[in-house]
Amino acid sequence: MKRRNFIKNASLTGVGVAVGSSIIACAENKKEKNTVATTNSKASLPLVIATWNVPNATAKAWDVLQNNGSVLDAVEQGVMVEEADEKNQSVGKGGRPDRDGNVTLDACIMNKEGDCGAVVYMQNITHAITVARKVMEDTPHVMLAGKGAEQFAVESGMKRENLLTDASKKEWEDWLVEKEYKPIINIENHDTIGMLAIDKNGDISGACTTSGLAYKMAGRVGDSPIIGSGLFVDNEVGGAVATGLGEEVVKTVGSFLVVELMRQGKSPQEACEEAIGRIVTKPNSNYKNFQVGYIAVNKQGETGSYSIHEWFSMTKYQDGKNENYQSDFYLKDKE
Ligand code: SD4
């Protein structure tokens, strides 16, 4: 296929099908026992929540908090577990590449002071979240992109690595055979990781990291590193993170919206539901073809989680229990 057609076929609809399909495919892989992701009573602290079924990541964050680490350390080190896991093909090393075979990473982090840092379209560095944190702490900027982000990471002592594993390379090569922008249905049981933690003092931080959508156009950046879209934390109110088709999250500034709705008095669950509502009620929304999911926590430690399609889930570590909860979803009872 000529490159022009190739690009033309990269419609958001095509991408959306992939994300939605990944959720449907997940159905076969994970039949979690828990079905409720919401708490409405006064919660015990600390707690950690994350998108998808990522018990190793939440356990790491919990561990950091138990050992008097900061809440920022907790979310950074928590998501680093997934970045290093080559089997998670949506994050860090082993992430699926763009259509040209390059693994490009997006990440951001936000602390209880409301400071933030982000990297976009960064290659060759596994721990994008650590680079994002360094951008926040060691530079006068909030976001570095591409080569500049990579150069900054190397100058900060991080090592360059080839992020394209044999497994992801093989899938990409198989995809190239058809040269059709209808991405392969994902079979992994977890995805982009967004994490929020609240320590025993009620202080909140958040992190979000991803390799973005498989076989995206070169240069594409999603919602995950965009403060207010993929992640937002306001230590007075709460925090939210997003997963799914980033273009739709960006259009509604989703995570900021969830936090602002909580500020207005909505519970985390209600806020997540309304933010999904903003997407699905847009004129001409083709939401049946894509997935978006939000998780949120408020200052009291109440949590919420909601998505468009079934099979989004949230992992929560609280009271010494590390559990995965199926999210409630918009299309329930509607099909
Ligand atoms: C993106 N939101 O790049 C990310 C992808 C994702 O579950 O979250 N997938 O659009």
Side-chain angles (χ1 to χ4, degrees), residues 79-124:
V79 302
M80 283 171 72
V81 170
E82 295 300 315
E83 287 181 332
D85 181 358
E86 294 182 15
K87 290 203 265 344
N88 185 338
Q89 291 177 289
S90 300
V91 180
K93 191 163 193 184
R96 291 191 178 85
D98 66 13
R99 60 185 49 196
D100 297 331
N102 297 312
V103 181
T104 72
L105 305 182
D106 294 339
C108 73
I109 194 160
M110 199 162 182
N111 69 14
K112 63 186 164 68
E113 284 85 21
D115 299 321
C116 53
V119 291
V120 304
Y121 193 59
M122 186 180 70
Q123 297 180 48
N124 301 317

Side-chain angles (χ1 to χ4, degrees), residues 19 22 52 90 106 191-192 210-213 216 220-224 242-247 249:
V19 178
S22 100
W52 306 104
S90 300
D106 294 339
D191 222 296
T192 291
T210 188
S211 52
L213 300 179
K216 60 195 175 186
R220 183 263 185 189
V221 172
D223 62 313
S224 303
T243 182
L245 184 61
E247 281 75 3
V249 176

